[in-house]
């Protein structure tokens, strides 16, 4: 509340012209999240008891608030992407692409990065002995089932591969009523195998889900990195 009061007082002193909002920048930055959260009225309207004055929220003030909010959210996204890039030792550009695709597919970003690490060690052109392709190691047949007309060459494209792989994982999460570990196990072993094992009264868990969710590099990943000279192109 103290922060809101200080911001309001600063706004009153510098509202004409609007560009003087820069004077209050230091206070407006931490307040930007509250603006985005629906507290715009409390920042731009003053209701002084006993016949005081109410500040009108102008189109210009709306634009300033929106700009601050958008910049703060973009800065937060940049920091998150940089953090993932450092954690998994990959280029920031690739981290940004994975992060964006995860959000679009409504996959938790941490899970998305863990899956790509486990499947391909972030090698965009990885191909498994059984024919799974790219960062998320999608089988061409699965890709065609999800997106008719998808070719093997299409799966070599980073954005296409991530979109299809994460969409498949999202479908599995929904299929298993939000059970992420079971969905990840099905991603690795196949939903048919998982269903059969469960019908037999056995646990289908093979350790894959834990590896993805912890994002922990195992010996296989380290050997792949060494073999391919840490190249991910």
């Amino acid at each position: 509340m103290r922060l809101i009061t200080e911001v309001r007082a600063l706004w009153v002193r510098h509202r004409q012209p609007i560009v003087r909002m820069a004077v209050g920048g230091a206070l407006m930055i931490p307040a930007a999240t509250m603006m985005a959260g629906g507290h715009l009225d409390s920042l731009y309207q003053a209701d002084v008891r006993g016949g005081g004055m109410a500040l009108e929220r102008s189109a210009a003030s709306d634009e300033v608030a929106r700009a601050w909010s958008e910049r703060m959210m973009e800065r937060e996204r940049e920091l998150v992407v940089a953090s993932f890039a450092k954690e998994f030792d990959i280029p920031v550009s690739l981290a940004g692409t994975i992060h964006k695709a995860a959000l679009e597919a409504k996959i938790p970003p941490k899970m998305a990065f863990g899956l790509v690490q486990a499947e391909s060690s972030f090698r965009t052109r990885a191909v498994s002995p059984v024919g799974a392709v790219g960062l998320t190691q999608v089988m061409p047949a699965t890709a065609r089932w999800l997106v008719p007309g998808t070719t093997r060459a299409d799966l070599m494209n980073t954005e296409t591969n991530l979109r299809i792989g994460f969409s498949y994982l999202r479908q599995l999460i929904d299929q298993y009523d939000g059970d992420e570990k079971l969905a990840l196990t099905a991603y690795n072993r196949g939903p048919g195998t998982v269903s059969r094992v469960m019908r037999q009264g056995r646990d289908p868990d093979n350790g894959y889900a834990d590896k993805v969710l912890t994002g922990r590099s195992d010996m296989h990943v380290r050997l792949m990195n060494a073999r391919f000279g840490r190249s991910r192109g």
Side-chain angles (χ1 to χ4, degrees):
M1 291 302 296
R2 179 183 175 185
L3 175 61
I4 293 174
T5 301
E6 291 175 354
V7 172
R8 180 187 296 125
L10 188 61
W11 170 254
V12 171
R13 289 199 301 273
H14 297 283
R15 66 182 181 277
Q16 297 293 337
I18 196 64
V19 293
R20 292 188 185 177
M21 278 294 292
V23 175
L27 291 175
M28 287 300 294
I29 291 175
T33 302
M34 287 185 287
M35 293 177 187
H39 298 282
L40 206 55
D41 286 342
S42 64
L43 292 175
Y44 286 99
Q45 292 182 1
D47 185 7
V48 180
R49 294 180 183 273
M53 176 184 70
L55 267 178
E56 257 184 48
R57 185 176 60 183
S58 67
S61 65
D62 244 356
E63 189 59 34
V64 168
R66 187 157 41 257
W68 274 107
S69 178
E70 289 176 356
R71 178 53 189 151
M72 289 299 294
M73 288 188 287
E74 176 61 21
R75 179 56 179 159
E76 180 180 359
R77 188 196 70 81
E78 291 172 355
L79 292 173
V80 169
V81 168
S83 176
F84 278 122
K86 181 177 181 181
E87 178 181 354
F88 291 97
D89 189 24
I90 60 176
V92 172
S93 58
L94 178 57
T97 302
I98 294 172
H99 185 262
K100 180 182 179 182
L103 295 181
E104 289 176 347
K106 296 180 174 58
I107 299 296
K110 179 71 174 180
M111 183 192 301
F113 279 88
L115 181 140
V116 175
Q117 180 189 54
E119 289 294 329
S120 65
S121 193
F122 298 98
R123 293 182 298 114
T124 59
R125 302 186 70 82
V127 178
S128 78
V130 296
V133 179
L135 289 169
T136 61
Q137 288 292 277
V138 181
M139 292 295 290
T142 301
R144 286 193 298 272
W145 170 66
L146 289 166
V147 183
T150 302
T151 67
R152 183 185 180 88
D154 292 333
L155 293 175
M156 289 296 183
N157 176 271
T158 297
E159 289 79 6
T160 300
N161 189 281
L162 292 171
R163 183 173 64 255
I164 292 177
F166 292 165
S167 293
Y168 181 44
L169 178 58
R170 179 70 257 172
Q171 286 194 19
L172 290 172
I173 292 173
D174 293 340
Q175 178 179 332
Y176 292 105
D177 299 321
D179 190 326
E180 295 176 349
K181 292 190 68 172
L182 196 55
L184 285 167
T185 302
Y187 189 99
N188 177 251
R189 300 189 66 181
T193 298
V194 168
S195 296
R196 184 175 66 255
V197 170
M198 292 177 68
R199 283 197 302 271
Q200 295 169 351
R202 296 185 291 126
D203 185 357
D205 183 27
N206 61 354
Y208 175 84
D210 286 333
K211 181 172 69 173
V212 169
L213 293 173
T214 59
R216 183 174 59 249
S217 297
D218 59 11
M219 182 60 71
H220 175 65
V221 170
R222 290 196 293 273
L223 287 174
M224 287 178 71
N225 283 339
R227 177 183 177 187
F228 291 96
R230 302 183 69 81
S231 171
R232 302 179 179 92

